[in-house]
Amino acid sequence: MSASNPWNVAWITGASSGIGRELAILLDGKAEAIAVSARSSDKLEELAALARNVKPHPLDVTNEAAVERCVDAIETEHGPIDLAVFSAGAWTIMNAGEIDVAAIRRGIEVNYMGVVNALAAIVPRMKRRGAGHIAIVASIAGYRGLPRSAAYGPTKAALINLAESLKSELEPHGIAVSLVNPGFVDTPMTRDNPFPMPSLMKAEDAARQLLLGLERRRYEIIFPRGFVYALKLLQIVPNRVFFWYVSSFVMGRRRRSRG
Ligand SMILES: NC(=O)c1ccc[n+]([C@@H]2O[C@H](COP(=O)([O-])OP(=O)(O)OC[C@H]3O[C@@H](n4cnc5c(N)ncnc54)[C@H](OP(=O)(O)O)[C@@H]3O)[C@@H](O)[C@H]2O)c1
């Protein structure tokens, strides 16, 4: 660890693709070891072949015992984790009228319980050391309930709330907490979305913004800023304005009725 390299050991979940993968590449050279986790061990091996300090630690974040074993293995092999970025996530488009119970359960298990399992493994260790930095990747979809997001948005809203709880409780123990709320980013997660994605970012640019926020130890890290600020406004407008906006511009009713 040095002034230019604030972390010795970083751990990223959801690092086999998208934002997590790009962050691992950017961290190479900034941390002594970057432990990368996801289920696809082949993709993690490919990533490790590209980056000198990247170390694969395959993992299904929904398996609580496996998460504990994984953290143990990372710390035994590379040393104490200074930075933990929880980016593993699953998105399923769902028309709320359909109520796909399996999709909702999967969203909760991966997006929410996956983070909880990781926290359960890492927080006691960071507390004992009185140091550490945890970043939870949520989403602007957690700001307010958006159409077709019923299997996803509620899990991200829960993460936003969880990060707020943790920040005040962990700071006195020397642990920084960051909440990452991306807008639309071009990754395998969004590639098949059948709707327009305003201000869509490249995954490398998203990871660059994420790294900058981590280096500055910001609480909420957002990108792309303009689009996320617009979404933040929807948090404070009255409900009737919010629902008018959603039916007019997100559901496209106004455009259809005009056409
Ligand atoms: N892309 C966007 O527009 C956007 C916007 C807002 C927020 N986000 C959030 O950003 C994070 C990264 O998403 P992304 O866009 O980079 O998507 P992505 O490319 O699909 O990455 C998702 C990652 O999560 C991993 N993952 C999924 N289920 C897992 C499990 N059970 N255990 C361990 N790893 C698992 C995937 O790897 P394996 O399949 O190999 O396990 C993959 O590495 C997610 O939390 C997502 O919700 C994305």
Side-chain angles (χ1 to χ4, degrees), residues 13-21 37-44 59-63 86-91 106 109-111 137-141 152 155-156 159 180-191 193 197 200-201 203 223:
T13 70
S16 63
S17 65
I19 300 167
R21 180 181 185 279
S37 294
R39 292 163 305 173
S40 313
S41 48
D42 52 338
K43 291 187 190 163
L44 297 179
L59 174 68
D60 183 336
V61 293
T62 65
N63 183 332
F86 304 142
S87 189
W91 149 251
R106 180 166 165 262
E109 281 300 322
V110 177
N111 297 352
V137 182
S139 168
I140 52 160
Y152 180 79
T155 68
K156 298 298 187 176
L159 289 178
V180 187
N181 283 325
F184 290 114
V185 183
D186 185 11
T187 68
M189 182 175 280
T190 51
R191 227 149 261 167
N193 279 346
M197 292 183 278
L200 183 70
M201 280 183 97
F223 44 83

Side-chain angles (χ1 to χ4, degrees), residues 121-144:
I122 198 75
V123 167
R125 292 163 189 265
M126 287 185 171
K127 268 170 88 173
R128 275 199 297 277
R129 300 193 279 264
H133 189 165
I134 293 169
I136 295 174
V137 182
S139 168
I140 52 160
Y143 286 163
R144 292 206 72 163

Side-chain angles (χ1 to χ4, degrees), residues 136 138-140 143 160 178-185 201 205-214 218-232 235:
I136 295 174
S139 168
I140 52 160
Y143 286 163
I160 291 171
S178 293
L179 167 68
V180 187
N181 283 325
F184 290 114
V185 183
M201 280 183 97
D205 296 337
R208 222 167 275 126
Q209 293 294 314
L210 171 49
L211 179 60
L212 199 65
L214 293 173
R218 284 212 186 105
Y219 172 63
E220 189 177 5
I221 301 172
I222 56 172
F223 44 83
R225 295 183 87 73
F227 180 63
V228 178
Y229 281 132
L231 265 284
K232 273 181 175 294
Q235 289 180 294

